[in-house]
Amino acid sequence: MTATPEATEATPTIVLVGHGMVGQRFLEALAARGMTATHRVVVLCEEPRPAYDRVALTSYFSGKTPEDLSMTDMEFIDTHGIELYVGDPAVSVDREAKKVTARSGEVFEYDTLVLATGSYPFVPPVPNKDATGCFVYRTIEDLLAIEEYAKTKATTGAVVGGGLLGLEAAGALKGLGVEAHIVEFAPRLMPVQVDDGGGAALLRTIEDMGLSVHTGVGTQEIVVDAEGAVTGMKLSDGSELATDMVVFSAGVRPRDQLARDCGLTVGERGGITVDEQCRTVADPHVFAIGECALASDGRVYGLVAPGYEQAETAAATIAEDEAEFTGADLSTKLKLLGVDVASFGDAHGTAEDCLDVVYSDSRAGLYKKLVIGRDGTLLGGILVGDAEAYGTLKAFTGSVPPVSPESLVLPAGAGAPAQLGPSALPDEAIICSCNNVTKGTIRGAVTDHQCTTVPEVKKCTKAGTTCGSCVKVLGQLVTAELEASGVEVDKGLCGCFAQTREELYEIVLALRINTYQDLLDRYGRDGAKGGDGCEICKPAVASIIASLAPTIGASGYVLEGEQASLQDSNDHFLANLQKNGSYSVVPRIPGGEITPEGLIVIGEIARDFGLYTKITGGQRIDMFGARVEQLPLIWTRLVDAGFESGHAYGKSLRTVKSCVGQTWCRYGVQDSVRMAIDLELRYRGLRSPHKLKSAVSGCARECAEAQSKDFGVIATSAGWNLYVGGNGGATPRHADLLAQDLSDAELVKLIDRFLMFYIRTADRLERTSTWLERIPGGLDHVRDVVVEDSLGICEELESLMAAHVAHYADEWATTINDPEKLARFVSFVNAPDTPDPVVGFVPERDQIKPDLPLLTIGHRPLEGSAQR
Amino acid sequence: MTLAPETTDLKIELQLESGWFTVCELARLLPGRGVAALLPDGRQAALFRDRSGKLYAIDNRDPFGGAAVLSRGLTGTHQGRPFVASPLLKQRFDLETGVCLDDESVRVATYEVRAA
Ligand code: SRM
Ligand SMILES: Cc1cc2nc3c(=O)[nH]c(=O)nc-3n(C[C@H](O)[C@H](O)[C@H](O)COP(=O)(O)OP(=O)(O)OC[C@H]3O[C@@H](n4cnc5c(N)ncnc54)[C@H](O)[C@@H]3O)c2cc1C
Ligand code: SF4
Ligand code: FES
């Protein structure tokens, strides 16, 4: 049974017109107040599907299905006895009789009418605006039509409007393989959110993404061919832009026709006029919420967060509680991945007497502006190119930040930037503006509701569930709160093991445990023993077993027996997975030295298999776009030509880069190429907590960039200097000098010890740089251990490495000679000859690239998922 | 009866609208590692087998990344629920219900599967 009240005269009826995002939130708010039990609730929904996440609309192109986007849980509708009429819009309202007529002819009497009809896209009245190939960008149906047309009929597309949505639409076109243009009437992109400086930085970034931007020009006419299909656009500067399709994204207008027709008051520029309770000023029985409403502060809000607040306000008012909506914040962050743009608060500095603090570097596409009040209050700001600080800054808006404003905009390196952590925020600070959640509420979720993870806090508070831009700050707050409340933060590797990686290493080594199951069943947490483990501990333990294989009596081949089931997906196929399901192939090229014959073989293979070929940042060659069933064929040819795995997929040694050194260079003092090759061949295949990189330079000019490597070697006239703990990547770190003027043999011995000590004591996915910073005593301690042998373990470290070197075998050569292993390299177990049809490619610059629409847009990877 | 089904020639079968569809020999499925199967209508299923021998089948397409790669993810158990973590961006999917453990608004299709 459902809680549907009998539709008797005694049961008051609420009719909701429009089942969009705000309409759905209104229903949830009614239910939360118990109103659905005492009222008949009727919903008229115009679209062919119930409410869905319009904010995330574009993620359809990155693989989300319309079902994924749905916001409507049919169970919710059923249990609350809501009558939902899908595909049946309201066509007229008779306020006198208090009746709504739907398109189907059905008539509903109401006691309370709520209009949540949203907006429609504004299409400028240019000739041929309705031609075949013209689209708007508002509903799932619009996207389906755009996709269909782009895939079958268009190679170029133009978006009219360079605002937030226009940029999203242009990114979508580009993702569909269409050459995309943006035409914006204003002199800059995103004119509403950013100022001129921000617009310039944004322009640069957008153009770098391969989108063409035309600002300061209007659209005058759509040009069509004899069949009436779009072929181009006439612009206000007299030029013509050839294009096969046009997407209008020139703003939205409130859908207030229904309200006008029944005599409700609307604003001069549209929008149903409501008071602070979201009640229409003309009729106390009618409410308007969301984008169709003209709020009491004289604004029509085009964002979802204010709409949600209005939904709550209307529901509370109908339930005879007190609530009001008097205005909201217009902060926005662009969802295009790869373009960091955010604006918040009083971004344009309209407050009296306010000051700007600006940092701008147009070469790097950076622009940051903060608007500060006379008393130091942060009023708002604009961030382009680097919106890292958005979450924190937005939350500080309205208060005086505890550090100087300059330090908040300066990039790292240009004067000490202040680390403004969310711990400095007051409890009232809004962390999630989409759902209006304060820091206090989030802390409460941890302290009062015993949430211990971000997903739990999200579920409990709704924070972070809409646009996602606050999730980072959310994570910091949760950790800080857990630590502050004295919760012993579990240092265990994962839910399966209470030990750290280092402790597991010691157990494996001391007890010679050589299978994962054995380790799990004996040393796993109580609930985990006998189970299937998880995606965190399996590869971590696989790595420990592989590092120690010869010593503990395990196979050194990572696909042998149980080990095959533990490897991360890349190691399992001995190749790196690409976004469309294809793989890349990277043969080892020690020291970056390669013969012309070697180059020719690689060239021939890449040509024969149609692979995209690129020189990597690691001085070798990457071939992309191999299908899983092609990997063994490609590797058979590579192995035949004398190549071996480059372990580009493994947490293991990647490359040892070199400069030409003494042999050719007039400054060189040692043979850096030979040393790089020797080191690369010595440590190849060594599994470690994270990847390992190295380089050898022939003199102090350092052309090989050795000081940015996990272990870097620089020649001196007396021998070699060894640097450790360097890192490029996200948090660059200069390596520290470990020892000077070493002979060849001393150098190798010291690196052996250093690497084995790191493998023994580091955490999972901890590069040498972070490890050095974390371990007690830091570099001095490491030097004591590996140079002075203060722990007396150096002999053991050396012999562990010697065992690795002696047992090394190329895993690709092993694989192609093992028919049972080869059987796994198929797309389908039941159709080994059929390639995966999802793996597709399109041409680009004389080569190929993956054909998966819009992978660059929409969703966020999980925290830490870049770690491979 | 035998207690070592691996040594028999059991086949993995999927329940489709049209009836049970034979995919491959049970022995092709390594515990903890998946395989992909092509279905008659062009859809793809990802099949898994856990340590206890239980079989699971879900849609092979990663709804976040778009590629058909879920069969290549790592499996495990989380609070007693068997799951596979996508090799693309690591979201985990419950092998029994198809629900994404990291974003419950997303789910992939599941299939009934048996060894016969
Ligand atoms: C191919 C290459 C880019 C290129 O076209 O040049 C590349 C490609 C990838 N890098 Fe890189 N990196 C490449 C050189 C670098 C370099 C430059 C270098 O090695 O001198 C760096 C900075 C140096 C460093 O590591 O300190 C670099 C820092 C990263 C990082 C950040 C590491 C860090 O500690 O912050 C990641 C992410 C990670 O490993 O967690 C990463 C991860 C990746 C991954 C594996 C991302 C992924 O998970 O899919 C990319 C794989 C592409 C693929 O599908 O094959 N890549 N990457 C380069 C391969 C070099 C090689 O021959 O093996
Ligand atoms: C691509 C895109 C990206 C966006 N990104 C963001 C973002 O990042 N952040 C943000 O805050 N906002 C964003 N928005 C805006 C956000 O989607 C809207 O603010 C929000 O959807 C407004 O909700 P609503 O319920 O008022 O209107 P809508 O979601 O438009 O719902 C109104 C519904 O009413 C229906 N309707 C209209 N007339 C009738 C009738 N007579 N009878 C029955 N039904 C009717 C319509 O068909 C529609 O389904 C974005 C919008 C788009 C299109
Ligand atoms: S590092 Fe020194 S030896 Fe090597 S290429 Fe540069 S200048 Fe020459
Ligand atoms: S700010 Fe958008 S989800 Fe939190």
Side-chain angles (χ1 to χ4, degrees):
Chain A
M1 254 316 276
T2 61
T4 324
E6 287 301 306
T8 62
E9 271 183 37
T11 324
T13 304
I14 301 172
V15 174
L16 169 68
V17 177
H19 193 219
M21 299 182 74
V22 173
Q24 171 62 20
R25 175 59 74 96
F26 171 72
L27 294 177
E28 288 167 20
L30 279 185
R33 291 172 184 277
M35 297 284 285
T36 46
T38 52
H39 288 64
R40 176 183 181 214
V41 180
V42 174
V43 184
L44 294 176
C45 167
E46 175 189 53
E47 292 188 55
R49 57 188 91 242
Y52 55 86
D53 189 351
R54 204 178 303 288
V55 170
L57 194 63
T58 302
S59 67
Y60 166 73
F61 289 118
S62 57
K64 286 230 182 181
T65 61
E67 294 73 55
D68 295 339
L69 290 175
S70 173
M71 300 180 77
T72 318
D73 178 356
M74 285 324 273
E75 221 178 288
F76 167 84
I77 300 289
D78 287 347
T79 41
H80 291 283
I82 295 169
E83 295 170 41
L84 172 62
Y85 299 90
V86 174
D88 197 10
V91 289
S92 66
V93 176
D94 179 346
R95 289 199 288 122
E96 202 120 309
K98 296 215 261 176
K99 279 183 184 157
V100 180
T101 308
R103 191 171 56 193
S104 60
E106 195 113 18
V107 178
F108 300 93
E109 287 187 25
Y110 66 79
D111 296 278
T112 306
L113 176 65
V114 178
L115 301 173
T117 47
S119 309
Y120 65 90
F122 169 68
V123 176
V126 293
N128 298 325
K129 66 183 170 49
D130 299 319
T132 312
C134 286
F135 299 90
V136 293
Y137 201 85
R138 176 85 193 170
T139 64
I140 289 185
E141 273 51 47
D142 294 336
L143 264 60
L144 295 175
I146 289 172
E147 183 180 35
E148 160 89 23
Y149 201 81
K151 285 207 162 146
T152 53
K153 305 215 170 66
T155 54
T156 350
V159 173
V160 176
L164 207 60
L165 287 190
L167 293 183
E168 251 188 76
L173 287 183
K174 176 163 181 283
L176 286 166
V178 170
E179 186 192 318
H181 295 266
I182 301 169
V183 178
E184 166 58 55
F185 188 66
R188 59 171 186 267
L189 292 172
M190 283 179 71
V192 183
Q193 290 86 2
V194 309
D195 57 10
D196 282 337
L202 180 60
L203 176 66
R204 212 187 144 86
T205 321
I206 296 284
E207 287 183 336
D208 282 349
M209 291 174 68
L211 300 168
S212 309
V213 180
H214 314 261
T215 47
V217 285
T219 309
Q220 271 186 335
E221 185 183 335
I222 308 295
V223 187
V224 296
D225 62 14
E227 274 86 58
V230 174
T231 60
M233 252 164 75
K234 279 199 181 127
L235 303 180
S236 58
D237 61 358
S239 65
E240 191 175 320
L241 180 67
T243 182
D244 306 322
M245 60 191 295
V246 174
V247 177
F248 288 103
S249 180
V252 294
R253 298 286 183 272
R255 287 189 70 172
D256 53 13
Q257 196 60 44
L258 196 64
R260 286 174 195 262
D261 291 347
C262 67
L264 290 168
T265 317
V266 296
E268 227 169 84
R269 285 183 294 151
I272 308 164
T273 319
V274 297
D275 63 15
E276 291 174 359
Q277 276 67 45
C278 299
R279 209 190 282 267
T280 58
V281 292
D283 186 338
H285 303 287
V286 184
F287 290 74
I289 53 177
E291 290 195 338
C292 65
L294 175 62
S296 64
D297 65 346
R299 290 172 106 146
V300 174
Y301 287 90
L303 294 171
V304 72
Y308 281 175
E309 267 185 69
Q310 294 170 357
E312 300 282 350
T313 305
T317 307
I318 297 169
E320 287 165 14
D321 283 341
E322 280 198 14
E324 56 172 29
F325 176 87
T326 52
D329 171 41
L330 289 174
S331 304
T332 21
K333 191 170 173 196
L334 188 57
K335 293 189 298 298
L336 277 171
L337 222 86
V339 192
D340 260 0
V341 182
S343 86
F344 58 96
D346 181 9
H348 292 281
T350 54
E352 214 174 298
D353 262 6
C354 62
L355 306 164
D356 287 353
V357 176
V358 178
Y359 172 83
S360 153
D361 176 353
S362 50
R363 200 171 39 116
L366 274 182
Y367 177 86
K368 303 187 195 179
K369 177 177 101 171
L370 298 184
V371 180
I372 311 284
R374 272 275 172 239
D375 59 352
T377 310
L378 176 62
L379 298 175
I382 295 169
L383 305 170
V384 177
D386 172 14
E388 260 301 291
Y390 172 68
T392 325
L393 287 174
K394 191 181 60 174
F396 269 112
T397 307
S399 64
V400 180
V403 296
S404 78
E406 300 77 34
S407 59
L408 295 174
V409 293
L410 282 178
Q419 285 300 326
L420 188 53
S423 51
L425 289 169
D427 267 354
E428 315 74 69
I430 306 248
I431 302 297
C432 174
S433 51
C434 285
N435 298 290
N436 207 1
V437 184
T438 60
K439 174 177 168 187
T441 310
I442 291 166
R443 290 183 45 196
V446 176
T447 49
D448 305 342
H449 300 273
Q450 270 97 46
C451 297
T452 55
T453 63
V454 172
E456 280 168 26
V457 172
K458 278 170 134 179
K459 211 185 252 174
C460 176
T461 63
K462 281 201 163 156
T465 53
T466 309
C467 76
S469 67
C470 59
V471 174
K472 190 165 175 225
V473 177
L474 201 62
Q476 293 166 335
L477 276 177
V478 172
T479 315
E481 203 49 45
L482 281 175
E483 278 172 358
S485 57
V487 173
E488 178 119 6
V489 181
D490 191 335
K491 296 258 172 13
L493 180 64
C494 62
C496 309
F497 287 101
Q499 300 83 350
T500 61
R501 182 191 168 281
E502 178 180 359
E503 287 161 350
L504 290 176
Y505 176 101
E506 297 295 347
I507 293 171
V508 167
L509 179 60
L511 303 177
R512 302 286 194 263
I513 292 179
N514 57 22
T515 70
Y516 169 81
Q517 278 188 10
D518 194 14
L519 187 68
L520 181 66
D521 293 352
R522 285 164 67 183
Y523 294 94
R525 294 183 197 254
D526 279 345
K529 283 183 180 158
D532 282 281
C534 77
E535 84 284 14
I536 293 170
C537 57
K538 286 207 275 195
V541 172
S543 164
I544 295 175
I545 291 177
S547 306
L548 294 173
T551 310
I552 59 175
S555 167
Y557 175 48
V558 296
L559 298 186
E560 193 63 58
E562 185 208 39
Q563 288 193 49
S565 70
L566 308 176
Q567 305 299 338
D568 245 326
S569 148
N570 282 351
D571 295 69
H572 188 235
F573 288 97
L574 305 176
N576 271 343
L577 180 67
Q578 317 302 145
K579 48 175 41 168
N580 65 346
S582 67
Y583 284 90
S584 68
V585 172
V586 187
R588 183 167 301 293
I589 298 179
E593 187 181 84
I594 185 162
T595 61
E597 282 72 28
L599 277 176
I600 289 167
V601 169
I602 291 181
E604 285 174 346
I605 293 174
R607 184 194 56 205
D608 295 352
F609 288 90
L611 305 176
Y612 168 75
T613 316
K614 180 181 180 301
I615 308 288
T616 72
Q619 290 189 345
R620 49 190 187 168
I621 300 170
D622 203 341
M623 290 170 273
F624 294 85
R627 296 168 188 278
V628 66
E629 59 274 9
Q630 291 177 325
L631 288 172
L633 306 171
I634 293 169
W635 275 102
T636 303
R637 285 180 57 180
L638 285 169
V639 169
D640 281 350
F643 285 102
E644 60 175 19
S645 170
H647 296 100
Y649 45 83
K651 293 284 169 265
S652 54
L653 181 78
R654 294 285 164 89
T655 59
V656 182
K657 303 210 278 189
S658 75
C659 71
V660 287
Q662 189 186 37
T663 324
W664 293 88
C665 175
R666 61 198 161 122
Y667 295 115
V669 291
Q670 302 284 350
D671 186 352
S672 53
V673 179
R674 182 193 51 79
M675 180 53 81
I677 295 173
D678 286 354
L679 294 178
E680 182 154 347
L681 295 183
R682 182 169 182 81
Y683 303 119
R684 63 188 163 179
L686 178 66
R687 291 315 204 263
S688 49
H690 207 314
K691 59 194 176 192
L692 289 169
K693 296 181 176 184
S694 175
V696 184
S697 282
C699 83
R701 282 166 194 77
E702 246 282 70
C703 296
E705 301 168 311
Q707 287 169 98
S708 67
K709 299 298 175 201
D710 296 278
F711 58 105
V713 180
I714 300 176
T716 66
S717 49
W720 306 99
N721 285 355
L722 175 59
Y723 292 82
V724 294
N727 207 164
T731 319
R733 181 179 189 276
H734 265 280
D736 295 309
L737 182 63
L738 186 67
Q740 269 171 295
D741 296 328
L742 303 163
S743 69
D744 286 10
E746 285 168 343
L747 174 71
V748 168
K749 186 151 97 174
L750 199 51
I751 299 175
D752 282 2
R753 294 172 175 184
F754 172 78
L755 290 179
M756 273 299 168
F757 186 51
Y758 159 68
I759 290 174
R760 177 174 207 144
T761 54
D763 274 343
R764 149 186 182 272
L765 297 181
E766 188 175 44
R767 287 288 289 268
T768 55
S769 56
T770 26
W771 168 73
L772 260 189
E773 308 246 307
R774 176 185 59 86
I775 57 166
L779 178 71
D780 290 336
H781 172 63
V782 171
R783 189 181 284 120
D784 281 350
V785 175
V786 301
V787 181
E788 316 297 342
D789 198 9
S790 62
L791 298 179
I793 57 169
C794 283
E795 213 181 293
E796 185 184 4
L797 297 177
E798 282 169 38
S799 76
L800 287 171
M801 187 63 87
H804 164 75
V805 174
H807 288 84
Y808 168 81
D810 173 26
E811 48 206 38
W812 261 114
T814 312
T815 304
I816 56 178
N817 289 315
D818 183 341
E820 189 222 325
K821 298 287 164 353
L822 285 182
R824 291 186 205 152
F825 289 84
V826 292
S827 292
F828 303 110
V829 67
N830 61 335
D833 300 324
T834 310
D836 176 2
V838 178
V839 177
F841 301 96
V842 289
E844 184 171 70
R845 293 189 297 276
D846 298 333
Q847 299 203 61
I848 56 161
K849 68 170 182 183
D851 177 22
L852 245 200
L854 266 180
L855 280 153
T856 48
I857 293 178
H859 59 264
R860 299 156 295 279
L862 286 184
E863 197 105 345
S865 65
Q867 307 278 20
R868 276 272 180 88
Chain B
M1 268 308 271
T2 164
L3 288 173
E6 286 90 320
T7 58
T8 69
D9 49 1
L10 285 178
K11 299 265 195 296
I12 299 180
E13 298 183 343
L14 279 187
Q15 170 98 75
L16 304 180
E17 290 80 33
S18 52
W20 288 99
F21 173 73
T22 306
V23 177
C24 63
E25 283 171 13
L26 179 62
R28 288 294 299 276
L29 207 47
L30 200 66
R33 208 82 252 187
V35 296
L38 186 62
L39 306 185
D41 64 356
R43 277 180 302 168
Q44 302 185 19
L47 314 181
F48 303 91
R49 179 185 188 185
D50 70 14
R51 196 174 153 184
S52 66
K54 196 152 183 262
L55 297 172
Y56 307 94
I58 63 172
D59 195 76
N60 194 29
R61 187 170 158 282
D62 175 344
F64 295 95
V69 294
L70 289 184
S71 61
R72 304 182 204 162
L74 272 171
T75 60
T77 31
H78 173 72
Q79 296 174 349
R81 311 292 307 159
F83 70 84
V84 60
S86 168
L88 284 173
L89 299 177
K90 313 285 164 166
Q91 283 90 354
R92 297 165 302 167
F93 297 87
D94 187 316
L95 289 177
E96 279 175 331
T97 63
V99 171
C100 174
L101 299 175
D102 302 292
D103 179 353
E104 280 170 23
S105 67
V106 177
R107 83 189 282 167
V108 295
T110 55
Y111 296 88
E112 218 179 298
V113 60
R114 69 177 184 194

